[in-house]
Amino acid sequence: MSLGKRRPKLSRISIRQAGPTSIQEDRLARRRDRLARLVVVGLAIVATAALMNGLGPPFPYRLGQRPNRDIRVNVPQFLWLDPIKTSSERQRAADEVPPSMLNDPAPIRDLAERVDDLVRAVAKAKRIGDLPSNLRTTWKLTPAVFDDIHEAADTPDRLEILRGAVRKAFQPLIDNGILGPGSLPRQEEASRSFSIRTLEQSPADARTASLDRVLRERIAKPDGPVRVEFVECFGNPELGDALFSLVADKLAGTPTLTYESDLTAANRESARRAVADVFVPYKRGDVLVEQDKEIRDEHLLLLRKEHETAVASIGLDGKIRRALSGAVLVAALFGLVAIYTIRHEPRIASDIRRVAIVCGLVVATMGLVRVLAPQPWDAELVPVAITAMILAIAYNPNFALMTTFGLSILTTLATGGGLGYLVILMGGTAAGVLTLREVRTRTKLIKVGATAALGYAVLTWAVGLWQDQPLGLIGSDSLWRAGWGLMAGFFLGGSLPFVETAFGIVTGISLLELGDITHPLLQELVRRAPGTHNHSITVGTIAEAAAERIGANALLVRVGAYFHDIGKMLKPHYFVENQVGGANRHANLAPAMSTLIIIGHVKDGVDLGRRHHLPEPIIDLIEQHHGTTLVEYFYHEAHKRNGQNPDASNVLESSFRYPGPKPRSKEAAILMVADCVESASRTLSEPTPARIEGLVRDLIEKRLRDGQFDECGLTLREISEIRESLIKSIIGIYHVRVRYPEPRSEQRTA
């Protein structure tokens, strides 16, 4: 249990002297406070409704899900970009683009010029022997071929016709080029045509040639298109065939085409971009996913497109209706939690700081849910689980469960999950919250996260099997959700100090660290005021037992008791427990002055606590452990001295009371009673059980009549339980001990 923020101090004298104006101001202040809390809650409702509504209805489908009915189109019509068909069409267009080849025709031109030289040389010679030996050796001319060429060029006119035919025959080879072995990469070897250009030509001026026209191995084929076209350029087929036979081997050994990979890739990419997207029309009622069919990637894309179309088709009136209905729903859930808080958690409901923190936490949680929900990992469980654990630590599990119930509904609506998802989210989170009572070890939150993880996993399997989902999907979801539940425990364990600071709470871990005897304040208390330290330890022991008896925060009471009197170390010898064999320093002081010194230890303790950064709950215990009780000894002493002096002024009771405030928590009330009972029990000359019981009853009854328990929330039954626990503890401290016999030597001496 945590303690709240301290309220402004109101002394008894200020209340008694309050007039009509101060009462009106008090009422106005309460109204302003109530209005401020309503404004905070209203803003939280608006923000939460906006986050829950988002940009429209949530997308409810997930990969691997198996619907229990046909999913049909709910909009009049929409066009869906078919990625498979679009990709297929674009790939087909890219495949139709031939490889780009760079042609260097110089070797073929040189060969054509050499054939022209041969023809002119043959035309001048009368017989084959008249030709230069190098020509005969190079071309391997036979008499028959010589005679055919000589006959076709026996006159100047026929010579020019023959030379023109040679140029015409070589021109296709010059334009198309020749493809040698290894000129193409492996992925292009299946190409049947090529885009060919020369260095002087741009890619746009390239020409297309078939494989048969450029492949070296097919040039010399008798029925090949290259040989046929070459021969057709001559009027005499025998002559054309003879000339082609002369150059065939030389053509095959003269590749002129080079593969251009960059240009080929660019041309194919341009072809892909030139293909328009392929859209498939869908009309209302068309089946998108059949019943019991698993939703795959292609289905998910189609469903998202239909969902986007539906969201875009929502008009202004539809958006207004949705926003208003969402706001009403959120307001109803906030109202439900508010009613519970007002009835069962009044300290939260009456403190605007706590209201603002809780509302801010809810809004932040929904914001994280909206960010994480589009991902397929179920990570939206993490903020809900962490928020529930924080509220359980800061306040109590019951309040955390109530808030988690509302958060689970809002998360389910925001993500489009169904009843099964709500059961998983609420059940797993509740399992973790119910095991989170008190955090005394670092591993506690990890165990809580493991419990939540187990709850998520078990409920995921139960709901998945109930809804007949695929086992693979159930297993994947259960692992993801269990992992996130465990991560929530690790994350909260690492951020626990920040949670304590933000909520003004102190956990068991921090209390155990504070209660260590090596704490500087406790060390200083032992050195300066050992009697007070011993008193504080005893008070902590009996107060812890009383707190456990009624279910209060026993560890907080015990550690608070260690520090409750640290203010006495500044003037230790003015307190009786530290006056060992010394003179009473109050003997020469006026009762009013002694009272100021006595009650001053509360303010000094608060100042020391703040200086040493003690948590607010501990400082609250220091400040409230005397409430507004009366310093009776000096009050009666003042009356006694006043009676001996008739001219003295009246003794005001308010001057001899602690400034307060009264205990505002059960822990502070328990510490008050334990403190006074332990101190008073030391004054008993014969601490018999009956006298101890009477003393405890009188002290508690006196504080009850004095109104010290009016603001702490203790019931009469709990006060009775505290009384019985203190009686038992004090009797245990002052139990009767066995008297040991004296040694025989001492008896003889006596």
Side-chain angles (χ1 to χ4, degrees):
M1 180 177 179
S2 62
L3 298 179
K5 187 177 178 181
R6 296 190 308 280
R7 305 173 187 172
K9 300 177 182 178
L10 293 176
S11 65
R12 297 172 68 93
I13 189 168
S14 64
I15 295 175
R16 290 174 181 175
Q17 294 176 351
T21 303
S22 62
I23 294 175
Q24 292 177 358
E25 291 176 352
D26 185 58
R27 288 178 180 173
L28 183 60
R30 287 200 299 270
R31 289 177 184 174
R32 288 175 178 171
D33 182 68
R34 190 181 300 112
L35 180 61
R37 281 178 280 154
L38 289 175
V39 169
V40 169
V41 174
L43 292 175
I45 290 174
V46 172
T48 304
L51 290 170
M52 187 193 73
N53 186 59
L55 299 177
F59 182 68
Y61 305 108
R62 299 174 54 237
L63 186 65
Q65 189 177 3
R66 185 179 293 166
N68 54 10
R69 59 176 178 81
D70 289 344
I71 302 177
R72 297 179 179 271
V73 178
N74 289 323
V75 295
Q77 183 179 1
F78 73 94
L79 295 176
W80 178 61
L81 172 62
D82 191 331
I84 297 177
K85 289 185 178 180
T86 301
S87 177
S88 177
E89 290 294 323
R90 288 175 176 171
Q91 186 61 42
R92 185 181 62 80
D95 292 341
E96 291 177 354
V97 175
S100 295
M101 310 296 294
L102 182 64
N103 185 22
D104 181 12
I108 301 179
R109 285 198 182 101
D110 180 66
L111 181 61
E113 291 175 358
R114 290 166 58 196
V115 171
D116 185 72
D117 293 341
L118 174 65
V119 168
R120 284 186 296 171
V122 170
K124 292 178 182 180
K126 293 182 179 181
R127 59 180 181 275
I128 191 171
D130 295 337
L131 291 174
S133 60
N134 62 330
L135 286 178
R136 293 197 306 270
T137 304
T138 302
W139 293 104
K140 298 178 182 179
L141 285 174
T142 63
V145 174
F146 176 85
D147 292 339
D148 290 339
I149 297 174
H150 190 272
E151 182 181 353
D154 55 355
T155 65
D157 293 338
R158 296 186 66 182
L159 175 62
E160 288 302 319
I161 292 173
L162 180 59
R163 292 179 64 192
V166 170
R167 289 193 296 271
K168 182 179 178 181
F170 274 96
Q171 192 60 46
L173 292 170
I174 292 173
D175 293 338
N176 297 332
I178 298 174
L179 183 67
S183 298
L184 289 175
R186 183 179 299 274
Q187 68 270 18
E188 300 289 357
E189 290 179 354
S191 300
R192 310 304 303 173
S193 62
F194 302 91
S195 177
I196 300 172
R197 71 181 184 93
T198 62
L199 285 173
E200 294 78 13
Q201 293 176 321
S202 66
D205 298 328
R207 55 177 294 156
T208 302
S210 65
L211 180 67
D212 290 337
R213 293 181 180 276
V214 299
L215 188 63
R216 183 190 67 173
E217 288 79 0
R218 300 185 183 181
I219 288 177
K221 290 179 63 175
D223 56 346
V226 175
R227 185 167 192 147
V228 171
E229 289 181 2
F230 191 96
V231 172
E232 288 178 351
C233 293
F234 299 91
N236 184 354
E238 291 79 7
L239 175 61
D241 189 68
L243 288 175
F244 189 82
S245 299
L246 291 177
V247 300
D249 292 340
K250 293 179 173 58
L251 288 173
T254 313
T256 62
L257 296 177
T258 304
Y259 177 68
E260 293 184 290
S261 59
D262 294 340
L263 183 58
T264 301
N267 290 339
R268 288 175 178 172
E269 185 60 30
S270 298
R272 287 191 184 94
R273 289 196 296 266
V275 176
D277 294 333
V278 179
F279 290 93
V280 179
Y282 282 87
K283 298 181 179 180
R284 188 187 299 275
D286 290 348
V287 177
L288 299 177
V289 183
E290 296 180 1
Q291 180 180 352
D292 296 330
K293 289 293 184 66
E294 187 174 335
I295 296 178
R296 302 186 181 276
D297 290 327
E298 59 271 18
H299 298 140
L300 202 63
L301 293 173
L302 187 60
L303 291 170
R304 285 192 182 277
K305 179 60 179 178
E306 192 266 350
H307 176 74
E308 292 171 359
T309 305
V311 171
S313 64
I314 299 176
L316 180 60
D317 56 340
K319 293 179 180 179
I320 294 175
R321 273 199 313 272
R322 179 175 174 81
L324 290 177
S325 60
V328 171
L329 181 59
V330 172
L333 290 174
F334 266 77
L336 179 65
V337 176
I339 291 173
Y340 172 85
T341 306
I342 291 171
R343 291 184 177 180
H344 301 283
E345 305 292 340
R347 293 185 183 174
I348 301 176
S350 61
D351 190 340
I352 187 172
R353 177 175 175 271
R354 293 188 174 190
V355 171
I357 289 177
V358 172
C359 290
L361 191 60
V362 170
V363 173
T365 301
M366 290 306 301
L368 289 174
V369 166
R370 291 299 299 184
V371 171
L372 298 174
Q375 308 301 327
W377 316 312
D378 291 318
E380 67 272 9
L381 297 176
V382 177
V384 177
I386 291 177
T387 298
M389 294 179 189
I390 288 175
L391 293 176
I393 294 172
Y395 303 118
N396 58 70
N398 294 334
F399 177 71
L401 283 177
M402 194 65 192
T403 307
T404 303
F405 173 72
L407 275 176
S408 299
I409 293 178
L410 294 176
T411 301
T412 303
L413 293 173
T415 57
L419 180 61
Y421 182 79
L422 175 62
V423 170
I424 295 170
L425 181 58
M426 183 64 202
T429 307
V433 169
L434 291 175
T435 58
L436 184 57
R437 182 61 181 174
E438 190 174 3
V439 183
R440 291 200 178 192
T441 61
R442 296 291 177 186
T443 59
K444 176 66 175 180
L445 291 174
I446 299 176
K447 293 177 181 177
V448 170
T451 304
L454 180 62
Y456 289 139
V458 171
L459 290 174
T460 298
W461 275 98
V463 171
L465 293 174
W466 176 264
Q467 295 179 345
D468 194 27
Q469 295 297 325
L471 294 181
L473 177 63
I474 300 174
S476 174
D477 286 349
S478 64
L479 288 177
W480 275 113
R481 290 166 181 168
W484 291 127
L486 190 60
M487 285 301 298
F490 277 100
F491 179 83
L492 188 57
S495 59
L496 192 57
F498 304 102
V499 173
E500 291 181 335
T501 302
F503 284 84
I505 61 174
V506 55
T507 61
I509 298 174
S510 298
L511 288 175
L512 289 173
E513 293 173 352
L514 285 172
D516 192 347
I517 192 63
T518 60
H519 192 282
L521 272 177
L522 297 182
Q523 287 286 300
E524 192 68 14
L525 183 63
V526 171
R527 188 179 67 83
R528 292 190 179 190
T532 299
H533 177 265
N534 182 62
H535 158 73
S536 299
I537 297 298
T538 305
V539 171
T541 302
I542 64 176
E544 181 180 28
E548 288 178 349
R549 185 80 171 259
I550 66 169
N553 192 333
L555 182 59
L556 176 62
V557 174
R558 174 163 65 85
V559 177
Y562 293 167
F563 291 92
H564 80 286
D565 274 343
I566 55 174
K568 292 182 178 180
M569 72 171 69
L570 300 183
K571 299 182 180 68
H573 299 296
Y574 285 91
F575 299 90
V576 65
E577 65 267 24
N578 300 311
Q579 296 173 356
V580 182
N584 186 355
R585 299 202 175 190
H586 293 283
N588 299 321
L589 294 178
M593 180 59 67
S594 296
T595 301
L596 290 176
I597 295 174
I598 295 298
I599 66 177
H601 83 276
V602 174
K603 181 180 180 301
D604 293 337
V606 171
D607 292 340
L608 284 172
R610 289 212 171 95
R611 198 180 308 159
H612 287 78
H613 306 292
L614 292 182
E616 283 297 317
I618 300 295
I619 294 177
D620 288 341
L621 293 181
I622 297 173
E623 189 176 36
Q624 299 169 19
H625 79 275
H626 279 296
T628 59
T629 55
L630 183 66
V631 184
E632 295 186 21
Y633 177 83
F634 292 111
Y635 175 67
H636 294 307
E637 183 67 21
H639 267 294
K640 180 179 177 181
R641 296 187 184 184
N642 194 46
Q644 296 174 357
N645 184 7
D647 296 330
S649 59
N650 294 329
V651 177
L652 295 176
E653 181 181 306
S654 60
S655 301
F656 291 85
R657 283 189 176 273
Y658 283 91
K662 294 178 181 179
R664 290 174 178 163
S665 67
K666 295 180 180 181
E667 290 78 9
I670 293 171
L671 180 58
M672 167 190 278
V673 176
D675 181 36
C676 68
V677 164
E678 199 281 334
S679 299
S681 65
R682 293 176 180 270
T683 64
L684 295 176
S685 57
E686 294 182 10
T688 62
R691 298 185 68 181
I692 290 174
E693 181 177 354
L695 175 66
V696 174
R697 288 182 181 275
D698 290 343
L699 291 173
I700 293 178
E701 184 68 23
K702 185 181 296 183
R703 277 152 183 75
L704 183 60
R705 289 196 306 269
D706 197 26
Q708 298 301 317
F709 303 142
D710 291 350
E711 301 176 15
C712 65
L714 283 176
T715 64
L716 291 176
R717 182 179 183 83
E718 288 173 333
I719 292 174
S720 176
E721 293 287 341
I722 293 170
R723 181 178 62 242
E724 296 304 320
S725 175
L726 291 176
I727 290 172
K728 183 178 179 181
S729 297
I730 297 298
I731 291 176
I733 293 174
Y734 293 102
H735 64 276
V736 178
R737 293 173 174 81
V738 177
R739 182 179 180 85
Y740 291 94
E742 297 179 357
R744 293 181 178 274
S745 59
E746 293 182 4
Q747 292 177 2
R748 290 194 188 98
T749 304

